[in-house]
Amino acid sequence: MLLYISIPFEYAAAATGASVDELKLIASFLLSYPLAGVLKRIPDSKPYQKNLFIIAVSLFYLVGLFDLWSGIRTIFISAAGAYAIAAYIDSPYMPWIGFVFLMSHMSINHIYRQRLNSPGVVDITGAQMVLIMKLTAFCWNVQDGKLPDKELAEIQRERAIRNLPGLLDYAGYVLFFPSLFAGPSFDYVDYQRWIETTMFVIPAGTDPAHIPPTRKRRKIPRSGTPATFKAIAGLVWIFLFLKFSTWYNTELVLGDQYMKYGFLRRVWILEMLGFTSRLKYYGVWALTEGACILSGLGYRGVDPKTGKVLWNRLQNVNPWGIESAQNSRAYLENWNMNTNNWLRNYMYLRVTPKGKKPGFRASLATFVTSAFWHGFYPGYYLSFVLAAFIQTVAKNFRRYVRPFFLTPDGQRPTPYKPYYDLATYIVTQAVFCFTTAPFVLLNLPDSLLVWSRVYLYAVIGVVASMAFFASPGKLWLINKLKKRNHPALQRTLSQETIVQPLMGLPSDPARDIDEAVREIREEVEVRRRRGASASMPKGQDLKRAVEEKLGKEL
């Protein structure tokens, strides 16, 4: 660490109540803006200079600002290990070997951080979580590059790495300083196209009026204005977080004063605790995305209709989409968007055999990956498990209740639809503030205490809803819908199974169990055709067989 560099942060920490490391982290995000401006001005014809500049800035952040010498070792082990695996293991299992190596390495640091239990101290785990997304994707992209195009899906062809990059380009990708500590994550091909400036090639036939302006001989379009807007938004979110966190914090919901309030006020405080926690992420992700935009990496092309330059390639969160969400899917798909993409493209779709639709195994693998990626605090797992069942309940309501508030053809809302929307908005926000509370509290005793202080209302609601949809009430709703709506407009089962999990959460755990039972039945039939003595298990034997398929207890 540079001498005396912590002194101004110590004064600021005393004034704001934030920790020294948290203020250093915000300072690194802000410092990335002028440094990204310098990076963009390095001649496009000298990519090696850009790589060297990126590496130098990241090393300054790691050891000059935070004294994270151990962090350099961690990054080196992960990055060197992934590169070696991609380069020297010629096997279809290469990406899985890389995945196991990288996740195992990160798990060690997760456990160490959990034992340390110092949330205000910045360590390398945050940067490593971003790096694991980049490196696991890198291994898959290298593997895809070894296959003919006809065997690849469109997104695989687009992301495939045909030639292993040089060490300098790879190090620049690994240590890209605007997204070093908090993301956003991106694939190597994005970095390659950025540093080679092929990302900014204007398609033939583009209206000259729609060509984005550049400065001098640079190919990177001018990005100062959108980056400034992101920086301002990020600072506003951070300011609101610092302000709101003095009013709504974990001490409040764990203290005796909390129980002096009525039930509805306790729920409101829980909602505000979740909102306050989200403010921090809104601020951090806006600041890092803005620095990426200023460097040019956030460029996504030009809207052919409006001619507007798009800078949302690396958008990681949509605050309005979350705060106005009327269902669980809208809530989750607007949160940590790049992690959702990573889980979908490099886990959910990768464990699915070619020619088959993703099933319960894909959902389970994605769920486990997401959980381990976040860490081992019990609060994470409480939130994940409850959210998985909330997904099922929400899908049932959307499938069997929402159509009553649409015209029979399903195209237009009825006069009562606004009331349904208001009710689903209130329920969604109330349920998710309950569900995400353990994500903030982290440990098991505190999480269960806070849940009990609001009478487990979300758990009771989920259990009651699942019981209703497992009862004759579901059949009654279906019959009502059949009489009301045209049969041809009924949503088919195959359409519903296309929906992919968000944040690793299985979209329908009940269907996963049904698929497991169906697979067991198919295996029994195969054994019978081969002449073996086999019968469909029953009772506890069936339960154990399903648990083996799912990899978890029921």
Side-chain angles (χ1 to χ4, degrees):
M1 186 188 301
L2 294 179
L3 196 62
Y4 306 124
I5 199 170
S6 294
I7 293 177
F9 296 104
E10 291 170 357
Y11 282 111
T16 61
S19 73
V20 171
D21 275 7
E22 287 171 338
L23 293 174
K24 283 184 178 181
L25 194 61
I26 296 173
S28 73
F29 298 151
L30 295 175
L31 185 57
S32 291
Y33 280 77
L35 293 174
V38 173
L39 175 62
K40 187 165 68 171
R41 283 160 176 78
I42 296 175
D44 294 337
S45 60
K46 299 180 179 178
Y48 75 93
Q49 291 185 359
K50 292 188 177 185
N51 283 322
L52 290 174
F53 183 78
I54 289 167
I55 295 168
V57 172
S58 288
L59 291 177
F60 163 70
Y61 285 168
L62 288 167
V63 298
L65 193 59
F66 286 105
D67 201 28
L68 286 174
W69 290 98
S70 61
I72 292 180
R73 182 183 66 237
T74 295
I75 291 174
F76 176 79
I77 292 172
S78 289
Y83 192 89
I85 289 169
Y88 297 112
I89 297 181
D90 187 12
S91 164
Y93 298 107
M94 180 273 287
W96 295 114
I97 295 171
F99 174 82
V100 171
F101 164 73
L102 291 164
M103 291 292 286
S104 300
H105 185 209
M106 184 175 64
S107 296
I108 295 172
N109 285 325
H110 271 317
I111 293 170
Y112 177 78
R113 177 172 175 79
Q114 187 168 337
R115 292 181 62 186
L116 187 64
N117 196 28
S118 298
V121 175
V122 171
D123 67 357
I124 201 61
T125 52
Q128 193 178 13
M129 290 172 72
V130 176
L131 185 61
I132 261 56
M133 290 192 284
K134 295 166 74 172
L135 296 182
T136 51
F138 177 82
C139 289
W140 275 112
N141 297 152
V142 170
Q143 183 67 20
D144 290 340
K146 299 175 182 178
L147 302 175
D149 285 349
K150 64 181 180 180
E151 295 185 17
L152 301 175
E154 182 179 354
I155 190 171
Q156 291 174 307
R157 288 193 295 271
E158 180 188 345
R159 308 274 102 185
I161 299 173
R162 299 298 180 182
N163 297 300
L164 206 63
L167 291 177
L168 187 60
D169 284 348
Y170 181 72
Y173 169 64
V174 166
L175 293 170
F176 189 70
F177 68 84
S179 64
L180 178 66
F181 287 113
S185 171
F186 50 90
D187 288 351
Y188 178 77
V189 291
D190 292 323
Y191 183 79
Q192 183 182 36
R193 291 167 185 167
W194 169 77
I195 204 162
E196 294 176 351
T197 67
T198 56
M199 177 186 289
F200 310 105
V201 174
I202 304 299
T206 301
D207 186 341
H210 292 171
I211 296 177
T214 60
R215 287 187 182 273
K216 299 180 180 180
R217 296 183 179 179
R218 287 200 302 270
K219 295 180 181 179
I220 302 176
R222 296 165 63 177
S223 55
T225 299
T228 300
F229 284 149
K230 282 291 180 181
I232 293 172
L235 289 173
V236 170
W237 290 125
I238 293 293
F239 172 78
L240 291 175
F241 166 71
L242 294 174
K243 192 67 176 175
F244 275 68
S245 61
T246 62
W247 303 327
Y248 303 101
N249 47 57
T250 56
E251 288 78 10
L252 174 60
V253 296
L254 293 172
D256 295 334
Q257 181 65 31
Y258 185 61
M259 291 306 294
K260 295 180 181 179
Y261 301 126
F263 172 71
L264 290 180
R265 186 170 180 183
R266 294 203 297 274
V267 173
W268 169 252
I269 291 173
L270 205 59
E271 166 65 29
M272 293 308 296
L273 175 65
F275 175 69
T276 301
S277 300
R278 291 193 296 275
L279 287 173
K280 175 175 64 176
Y281 292 97
Y282 294 163
V284 167
W285 286 335
L287 288 175
T288 56
E289 184 190 352
C292 290
I293 289 172
L294 191 59
S295 73
L297 192 57
Y299 178 77
R300 197 168 188 165
V302 180
D303 188 317
K305 294 182 179 179
T306 65
K308 181 180 179 181
V309 180
L310 304 176
W311 292 100
N312 62 342
R313 176 184 295 273
L314 300 180
Q315 183 180 3
N316 206 32
V317 69
N318 177 7
W320 175 250
I322 294 170
E323 303 305 332
S324 63
Q326 298 174 14
N327 56 70
S328 61
R329 184 163 187 85
Y331 194 101
L332 293 171
E333 71 183 0
N334 287 293
W335 175 261
N336 212 348
M337 296 153 73
N338 288 295
T339 301
N340 277 326
N341 292 335
W342 171 65
L343 289 168
R344 179 182 65 247
N345 295 331
Y346 300 109
M347 180 52 63
Y348 184 71
L349 297 177
R350 299 290 179 163
V351 299
T352 303
K354 190 175 181 180
K356 292 189 176 182
K357 291 181 179 179
F360 79 91
R361 289 181 179 176
S363 296
L364 177 63
T366 309
F367 173 85
V368 171
T369 299
S370 182
F372 272 75
W373 180 78
H374 279 89
F376 301 105
Y377 282 104
Y380 294 156
Y381 295 84
L382 283 179
S383 294
F384 270 110
V385 171
L386 180 57
F389 287 100
I390 289 171
Q391 286 272 75
T392 298
V393 170
K395 180 177 287 188
N396 282 328
F397 272 97
R398 187 172 182 84
R399 192 183 302 163
Y400 303 118
V401 177
R402 185 175 180 271
F404 287 107
F405 297 90
L406 301 174
T407 54
D409 61 4
Q411 300 299 312
R412 297 179 304 279
T414 67
Y416 299 102
K417 181 64 161 49
Y419 300 105
Y420 173 84
D421 291 341
L422 177 62
T424 54
Y425 168 75
I426 293 173
V427 170
T428 297
Q429 299 298 326
V431 166
F432 269 96
C433 77
F434 178 95
T435 305
T436 57
F439 237 89
V440 180
L441 297 164
L442 299 180
N443 68 64
L444 187 62
D446 289 349
S447 299
L448 295 178
L449 174 63
V450 171
W451 274 8
S452 67
R453 287 183 162 189
V454 288
Y455 309 125
L456 300 171
Y457 69 83
V459 175
I460 293 172
V462 166
V463 171
S465 298
M466 294 190 72
F468 173 80
F469 286 110
S471 74
K474 176 181 175 180
L475 183 60
W476 177 78
L477 286 176
I478 292 173
N479 290 332
K480 286 286 185 182
L481 285 176
K482 285 182 178 179
K483 291 179 182 178
R484 181 180 184 273
N485 298 348
H486 194 285
L489 295 174
Q490 296 299 310
R491 203 173 182 204
T492 65
L493 182 64
S494 61
Q495 287 175 312
E496 289 166 354
T497 56
I498 294 173
V499 177
Q500 298 168 354
L502 294 166
M503 294 306 297
L505 299 174
S507 56
D508 195 338
R511 180 167 296 156
D512 289 347
I513 294 174
D514 291 340
E515 289 184 7
V517 172
R518 186 167 60 250
E519 281 199 12
I520 294 169
R521 186 176 289 112
E522 290 173 354
E523 290 176 4
V524 169
E525 290 299 323
V526 169
R527 291 177 185 176
R528 285 175 176 172
R529 286 196 294 268
R530 291 175 177 173
S533 176
S535 61
M536 186 67 184
K538 298 180 180 179
Q540 288 298 317
D541 291 336
L542 177 60
K543 179 174 180 287
R544 281 192 293 270
V546 171
E547 288 175 342
E548 288 180 7
K549 287 285 182 184
L550 294 175
K552 60 182 178 182
E553 293 185 359
L554 300 177

